CSV table of all heavy atoms in Angstrom, one decimal:
chain,number,residue,atom,x,y,z
A,1,ASP,N,-19.3,24.2,-9.9
A,1,ASP,CA,-18.5,25.3,-10.4
A,1,ASP,C,-17.3,25.5,-9.5
A,1,ASP,O,-16.4,26.4,-9.8
A,1,ASP,CB,-19.3,26.6,-10.5
A,1,ASP,CG,-20.3,26.5,-11.8
A,1,ASP,OD1,-20.0,25.6,-12.5
A,1,ASP,OD2,-21.2,27.4,-11.8
A,2,SER,N,-17.4,25.1,-8.3
A,2,SER,CA,-16.2,25.2,-7.2
A,2,SER,C,-15.1,24.3,-7.5
A,2,SER,O,-14.1,24.5,-6.7
A,2,SER,CB,-16.7,25.0,-5.8
A,2,SER,OG,-17.1,23.6,-5.6
A,3,ALA,N,-15.2,23.4,-8.4
A,3,ALA,CA,-14.0,22.4,-8.6
A,3,ALA,C,-12.7,23.1,-8.9
A,3,ALA,O,-11.7,22.6,-8.4
A,3,ALA,CB,-14.5,21.5,-9.8
A,4,PRO,N,-12.6,24.2,-9.7
A,4,PRO,CA,-11.3,24.8,-10.0
A,4,PRO,C,-10.6,25.2,-8.7
A,4,PRO,O,-9.4,25.0,-8.5
A,4,PRO,CB,-11.6,26.0,-11.0
A,4,PRO,CG,-12.8,25.5,-11.6
A,4,PRO,CD,-13.6,24.7,-10.5
A,5,VAL,N,-11.3,25.9,-7.8
A,5,VAL,CA,-10.8,26.3,-6.6
A,5,VAL,C,-10.4,25.1,-5.7
A,5,VAL,O,-9.3,25.1,-5.1
A,5,VAL,CB,-11.6,27.3,-5.8
A,5,VAL,CG1,-11.2,27.6,-4.3
A,5,VAL,CG2,-11.9,28.6,-6.5
A,6,ALA,N,-11.3,24.1,-5.5
A,6,ALA,CA,-11.0,22.9,-4.8
A,6,ALA,C,-9.7,22.3,-5.2
A,6,ALA,O,-8.9,21.8,-4.4
A,6,ALA,CB,-12.1,22.0,-4.9
A,7,GLU,N,-9.5,22.2,-6.5
A,7,GLU,CA,-8.3,21.5,-7.0
A,7,GLU,C,-7.0,22.3,-6.7
A,7,GLU,O,-5.9,21.8,-6.9
A,7,GLU,CB,-8.4,21.4,-8.5
A,7,GLU,CG,-9.4,20.3,-9.0
A,7,GLU,CD,-9.9,20.4,-10.5
A,7,GLU,OE1,-9.1,21.3,-11.2
A,7,GLU,OE2,-10.7,19.7,-10.9
A,8,ARG,N,-7.2,23.6,-6.5
A,8,ARG,CA,-5.9,24.5,-6.2
A,8,ARG,C,-5.8,24.6,-4.6
A,8,ARG,O,-5.0,25.4,-4.3
A,8,ARG,CB,-6.0,25.8,-6.9
A,8,ARG,CG,-6.2,25.8,-8.3
A,8,ARG,CD,-6.0,27.2,-9.0
A,8,ARG,NE,-6.9,28.1,-8.6
A,8,ARG,CZ,-8.1,28.4,-9.2
A,8,ARG,NH1,-8.4,27.7,-10.3
A,8,ARG,NH2,-8.9,29.3,-8.8
A,9,THR,N,-6.5,23.9,-3.9
A,9,THR,CA,-6.5,24.0,-2.5
A,9,THR,C,-5.5,23.0,-1.8
A,9,THR,O,-5.5,21.9,-2.1
A,9,THR,CB,-7.9,23.9,-1.8
A,9,THR,OG1,-8.7,24.9,-2.3
A,9,THR,CG2,-7.8,23.9,-0.3
A,10,TYR,N,-4.6,23.5,-0.9
A,10,TYR,CA,-3.6,22.8,-0.3
A,10,TYR,C,-3.5,22.9,1.2
A,10,TYR,O,-3.6,24.0,1.6
A,10,TYR,CB,-2.2,23.0,-0.9
A,10,TYR,CG,-1.9,22.7,-2.3
A,10,TYR,CD1,-2.4,23.4,-3.4
A,10,TYR,CD2,-1.1,21.5,-2.5
A,10,TYR,CE1,-2.2,22.9,-4.6
A,10,TYR,CE2,-1.1,21.0,-3.8
A,10,TYR,CZ,-1.5,21.8,-4.8
A,10,TYR,OH,-1.3,21.3,-6.2
A,11,GLU,N,-3.5,22.0,2.0
A,11,GLU,CA,-3.1,22.0,3.4
A,11,GLU,C,-1.6,22.5,3.4
A,11,GLU,O,-0.9,22.2,2.5
A,11,GLU,CB,-3.3,20.7,4.1
A,11,GLU,CG,-3.0,20.5,5.6
A,11,GLU,CD,-1.6,20.3,5.8
A,11,GLU,OE1,-0.9,19.7,5.0
A,11,GLU,OE2,-1.0,20.8,6.9
A,12,LEU,N,-1.4,23.1,4.5
A,12,LEU,CA,0.0,23.8,4.5
A,12,LEU,C,1.2,23.0,4.2
A,12,LEU,O,2.0,23.3,3.5
A,12,LEU,CB,0.2,24.6,5.9
A,12,LEU,CG,1.5,25.2,6.2
A,12,LEU,CD1,1.7,26.4,5.2
A,12,LEU,CD2,1.6,25.6,7.6
A,13,THR,N,1.2,21.8,4.9
A,13,THR,CA,2.4,21.0,4.7
A,13,THR,C,2.5,20.4,3.3
A,13,THR,O,3.6,20.3,2.7
A,13,THR,CB,2.5,19.8,5.7
A,13,THR,OG1,1.4,18.9,5.5
A,13,THR,CG2,2.4,20.2,7.1
A,14,GLU,N,1.4,20.2,2.6
A,14,GLU,CA,1.2,19.8,1.3
A,14,GLU,C,1.9,20.9,0.3
A,14,GLU,O,2.7,20.6,-0.6
A,14,GLU,CB,-0.1,19.6,0.7
A,14,GLU,CG,-0.7,18.4,1.3
A,14,GLU,CD,-2.2,18.3,0.7
A,14,GLU,OE1,-3.0,19.3,0.8
A,14,GLU,OE2,-2.6,17.2,0.3
A,15,PHE,N,1.5,22.1,0.6
A,15,PHE,CA,2.0,23.3,-0.2
A,15,PHE,C,3.5,23.3,-0.1
A,15,PHE,O,4.2,23.6,-1.0
A,15,PHE,CB,1.3,24.5,0.3
A,15,PHE,CG,1.7,25.7,-0.5
A,15,PHE,CD1,1.2,25.9,-1.7
A,15,PHE,CD2,2.5,26.7,0.0
A,15,PHE,CE1,1.5,27.0,-2.6
A,15,PHE,CE2,2.8,27.8,-0.8
A,15,PHE,CZ,2.4,28.0,-2.1
A,16,LEU,N,4.0,23.3,1.2
A,16,LEU,CA,5.4,23.5,1.4
A,16,LEU,C,6.2,22.4,0.7
A,16,LEU,O,7.1,22.8,0.0
A,16,LEU,CB,5.7,23.4,2.9
A,16,LEU,CG,5.2,24.6,3.8
A,16,LEU,CD1,5.4,24.2,5.3
A,16,LEU,CD2,5.8,25.9,3.5
A,17,VAL,N,5.8,21.2,0.9
A,17,VAL,CA,6.6,20.0,0.4
A,17,VAL,C,6.3,19.9,-1.1
A,17,VAL,O,7.4,19.6,-1.9
A,17,VAL,CB,6.4,18.8,1.1
A,17,VAL,CG1,7.0,17.6,0.5
A,17,VAL,CG2,6.7,18.9,2.7
A,18,ASP,N,5.1,19.8,-1.5
A,18,ASP,CA,4.8,19.4,-2.9
A,18,ASP,C,4.8,20.7,-3.9
A,18,ASP,O,5.2,20.4,-5.1
A,18,ASP,CB,3.3,18.8,-3.0
A,18,ASP,CG,3.2,17.5,-2.2
A,18,ASP,OD1,4.2,17.1,-1.7
A,18,ASP,OD2,2.1,17.1,-2.0
A,19,VAL,N,4.5,21.8,-3.5
A,19,VAL,CA,4.5,23.0,-4.3
A,19,VAL,C,5.8,23.7,-4.3
A,19,VAL,O,6.5,23.9,-5.4
A,19,VAL,CB,3.2,23.9,-4.2
A,19,VAL,CG1,3.3,25.1,-5.0
A,19,VAL,CG2,2.0,23.2,-4.3
A,20,LEU,N,6.2,24.1,-3.1
A,20,LEU,CA,7.4,24.8,-2.9
A,20,LEU,C,8.7,24.0,-3.0
A,20,LEU,O,9.8,24.5,-3.2
A,20,LEU,CB,7.3,25.6,-1.7
A,20,LEU,CG,6.4,26.7,-1.5
A,20,LEU,CD1,6.5,27.5,-0.3
A,20,LEU,CD2,6.3,27.7,-2.7
A,21,GLY,N,8.5,22.7,-2.7
A,21,GLY,CA,9.6,21.7,-2.8
A,21,GLY,C,10.5,22.0,-1.6
A,21,GLY,O,11.8,21.7,-1.9
A,22,VAL,N,10.0,22.3,-0.4
A,22,VAL,CA,11.1,22.6,0.7
A,22,VAL,C,10.5,21.7,1.9
A,22,VAL,O,9.5,21.4,2.0
A,22,VAL,CB,11.0,24.0,1.1
A,22,VAL,CG1,11.5,24.9,0.1
A,22,VAL,CG2,9.6,24.4,1.7
A,23,THR,N,11.6,21.3,2.7
A,23,THR,CA,11.4,20.8,4.0
A,23,THR,C,12.0,21.5,5.1
A,23,THR,O,11.6,21.5,6.2
A,23,THR,CB,11.8,19.3,4.0
A,23,THR,OG1,13.2,19.1,3.6
A,23,THR,CG2,11.0,18.3,3.2
A,24,ASP,N,13.2,22.1,4.8
A,24,ASP,CA,13.8,22.9,5.7
A,24,ASP,C,13.4,24.4,5.5
A,24,ASP,O,13.8,25.0,4.5
A,24,ASP,CB,15.4,22.9,5.5
A,24,ASP,CG,16.2,23.7,6.6
A,24,ASP,OD1,15.6,24.5,7.3
A,24,ASP,OD2,17.4,23.4,6.7
A,25,VAL,N,12.6,24.9,6.4
A,25,VAL,CA,12.0,26.4,6.2
A,25,VAL,C,12.7,27.3,7.1
A,25,VAL,O,12.3,28.4,7.3
A,25,VAL,CB,10.5,26.2,6.5
A,25,VAL,CG1,9.8,25.3,5.7
A,25,VAL,CG2,10.2,25.8,8.0
A,26,GLY,N,13.8,26.9,7.7
A,26,GLY,CA,14.7,27.8,8.4
A,26,GLY,C,14.2,28.1,9.9
A,26,GLY,O,14.3,29.1,10.5
A,27,ALA,N,13.4,27.0,10.3
A,27,ALA,CA,12.9,27.2,11.7
A,27,ALA,C,13.7,26.7,12.8
A,27,ALA,O,14.7,26.0,12.5
A,27,ALA,CB,11.6,26.4,11.7
A,28,TYR,N,13.5,27.3,13.9
A,28,TYR,CA,14.2,26.9,15.1
A,28,TYR,C,13.4,26.9,16.2
A,28,TYR,O,12.6,27.8,16.7
A,28,TYR,CB,15.4,28.0,15.4
A,28,TYR,CG,16.0,27.9,16.7
A,28,TYR,CD1,17.1,26.9,16.9
A,28,TYR,CD2,15.8,28.7,17.8
A,28,TYR,CE1,17.8,26.7,18.0
A,28,TYR,CE2,16.6,28.5,19.0
A,28,TYR,CZ,17.5,27.5,19.1
A,28,TYR,OH,18.2,27.4,20.3
A,29,TYR,N,13.3,25.7,16.9
A,29,TYR,CA,12.4,25.5,18.0
A,29,TYR,C,13.0,24.4,19.0
A,29,TYR,O,12.9,23.2,18.8
A,29,TYR,CB,11.0,24.8,17.5
A,29,TYR,CG,9.9,24.9,18.5
A,29,TYR,CD1,9.2,26.1,18.7
A,29,TYR,CD2,9.5,23.8,19.1
A,29,TYR,CE1,8.1,26.0,19.5
A,29,TYR,CE2,8.4,23.7,20.0
A,29,TYR,CZ,7.7,24.9,20.2
A,29,TYR,OH,6.6,25.0,21.1
A,30,PRO,N,13.8,25.0,20.0
A,30,PRO,CA,14.6,24.1,20.9
A,30,PRO,C,13.7,23.3,22.0
A,30,PRO,O,13.9,23.7,23.1
A,30,PRO,CB,15.5,25.1,21.5
A,30,PRO,CG,14.7,26.4,21.6
A,30,PRO,CD,13.9,26.4,20.3
A,31,HIS,N,12.8,22.5,21.5
A,31,HIS,CA,11.9,21.8,22.4
A,31,HIS,C,11.8,20.3,22.0
A,31,HIS,O,11.9,19.9,20.8
A,31,HIS,CB,10.6,22.5,22.6
A,31,HIS,CG,10.7,23.9,23.0
A,31,HIS,ND1,11.0,24.2,24.3
A,31,HIS,CD2,10.6,25.0,22.3
A,31,HIS,CE1,11.0,25.6,24.4
A,31,HIS,NE2,10.7,26.1,23.2
A,32,THR,N,11.3,19.5,22.9
A,32,THR,CA,11.0,18.1,22.6
A,32,THR,C,9.6,18.2,22.1
A,32,THR,O,8.6,18.6,22.9
A,32,THR,CB,11.2,17.2,23.6
A,32,THR,OG1,12.6,17.3,24.2
A,32,THR,CG2,10.9,15.7,23.4
A,33,VAL,N,9.2,17.6,21.0
A,33,VAL,CA,7.8,17.7,20.4
A,33,VAL,C,7.5,16.2,20.0
A,33,VAL,O,8.2,15.4,19.4
A,33,VAL,CB,7.9,18.6,19.2
A,33,VAL,CG1,6.5,18.6,18.6
A,33,VAL,CG2,8.3,20.1,19.6
A,34,THR,N,6.1,16.0,20.1
A,34,THR,CA,5.5,14.8,19.6
A,34,THR,C,4.3,15.1,18.6
A,34,THR,O,3.9,16.3,18.9
A,34,THR,CB,5.0,13.8,20.7
A,34,THR,OG1,4.6,12.5,20.2
A,34,THR,CG2,3.8,14.4,21.4
A,35,TYR,N,4.2,14.4,17.6
A,35,TYR,CA,3.3,14.8,16.6
A,35,TYR,C,2.0,13.9,16.5
A,35,TYR,O,2.3,12.6,16.4
A,35,TYR,CB,4.0,14.8,15.2
A,35,TYR,CG,3.1,14.9,14.0
A,35,TYR,CD1,2.4,16.1,13.8
A,35,TYR,CD2,2.9,13.9,13.1
A,35,TYR,CE1,1.5,16.1,12.7
A,35,TYR,CE2,2.1,13.9,12.0
A,35,TYR,CZ,1.4,15.1,11.8
A,35,TYR,OH,0.5,15.2,10.7
A,36,HIS,N,0.8,14.4,16.5
A,36,HIS,CA,-0.4,13.7,16.3
A,36,HIS,C,-1.0,13.8,15.0
A,36,HIS,O,-1.3,14.9,14.6
A,36,HIS,CB,-1.4,14.0,17.4
A,36,HIS,CG,-2.8,13.5,17.1
A,36,HIS,ND1,-3.1,12.2,17.2
A,36,HIS,CD2,-3.9,14.1,16.7
A,36,HIS,CE1,-4.4,11.9,16.8
A,36,HIS,NE2,-4.9,13.1,16.5
A,37,PRO,N,-0.9,12.8,14.2
A,37,PRO,CA,-1.6,12.8,12.8
A,37,PRO,C,-3.1,12.8,12.9
A,37,PRO,O,-3.6,11.8,13.3
A,37,PRO,CB,-1.0,11.7,12.1
A,37,PRO,CG,-0.7,10.7,13.1
A,37,PRO,CD,-0.4,11.5,14.3
A,38,THR,N,-3.6,14.1,12.6
A,38,THR,CA,-5.1,14.0,12.7
A,38,THR,C,-5.8,13.1,11.6
A,38,THR,O,-5.3,12.8,10.6
A,38,THR,CB,-5.7,15.5,12.5
A,38,THR,OG1,-5.4,16.0,11.1
A,38,THR,CG2,-5.0,16.5,13.5
A,39,CYS,N,-7.1,12.8,11.8
A,39,CYS,CA,-7.7,11.8,11.0
A,39,CYS,C,-7.9,12.3,9.6
A,39,CYS,O,-7.7,11.5,8.6
A,39,CYS,CB,-9.1,11.6,11.6
A,39,CYS,SG,-9.1,10.6,13.1
A,40,HIS,N,-8.3,13.6,9.4
A,40,HIS,CA,-8.5,14.1,8.0
A,40,HIS,C,-7.1,14.1,7.3
A,40,HIS,O,-7.0,13.8,6.1
A,40,HIS,CB,-9.1,15.4,8.1
A,40,HIS,CG,-10.5,15.4,8.2
A,40,HIS,ND1,-11.2,15.5,9.4
A,40,HIS,CD2,-11.6,15.3,7.2
A,40,HIS,CE1,-12.5,15.4,9.3
A,40,HIS,NE2,-12.8,15.2,7.9
A,41,GLY,N,-6.0,14.5,8.0
A,41,GLY,CA,-4.7,14.6,7.4
A,41,GLY,C,-4.2,13.2,7.2
A,41,GLY,O,-3.6,13.0,6.0
A,42,LEU,N,-4.5,12.3,7.9
A,42,LEU,CA,-4.0,10.9,7.8
A,42,LEU,C,-4.8,10.2,6.7
A,42,LEU,O,-4.2,9.6,5.9
A,42,LEU,CB,-4.0,10.2,9.1
A,42,LEU,CG,-3.5,8.8,9.2
A,42,LEU,CD1,-2.1,8.8,9.1
A,42,LEU,CD2,-3.9,8.2,10.6
A,43,ARG,N,-6.1,10.3,6.8
A,43,ARG,CA,-7.0,9.3,6.0
A,43,ARG,C,-7.5,10.0,4.8
A,43,ARG,O,-7.8,9.3,3.7
A,43,ARG,CB,-8.0,8.7,6.9
A,43,ARG,CG,-7.6,7.9,8.1
A,43,ARG,CD,-8.6,7.4,9.0
A,43,ARG,NE,-8.0,6.6,10.0
A,43,ARG,CZ,-7.5,7.1,11.3
A,43,ARG,NH1,-7.5,8.3,11.4
A,43,ARG,NH2,-7.0,6.2,12.2
């Protein structure tokens, strides 16, 4: 019975890109950053 909620669940970046259709969210962060793709997010 939890399937409907599971199907409507999104990780934040999925929601921003796939549902809202945005990549530029108006952020400003003047730093050098490296990104680690976590296992669950990646695989």
Side-chain angles (χ1 to χ4, degrees):
D1 290 348
S2 70
V5 170
E7 292 168 0
R8 299 194 299 269
T9 298
Y10 288 80
E11 182 273 330
L12 176 64
T13 66
E14 291 180 310
F15 183 74
L16 293 171
V17 176
D18 298 351
V19 179
L20 298 186
V22 299
T23 51
D24 186 345
V25 298
Y28 174 73
Y29 194 78
H31 301 285
T32 303
V33 177
T34 192
Y35 169 69
H36 167 64
T38 64
C39 290
H40 280 94
L42 183 69
R43 300 174 177 87

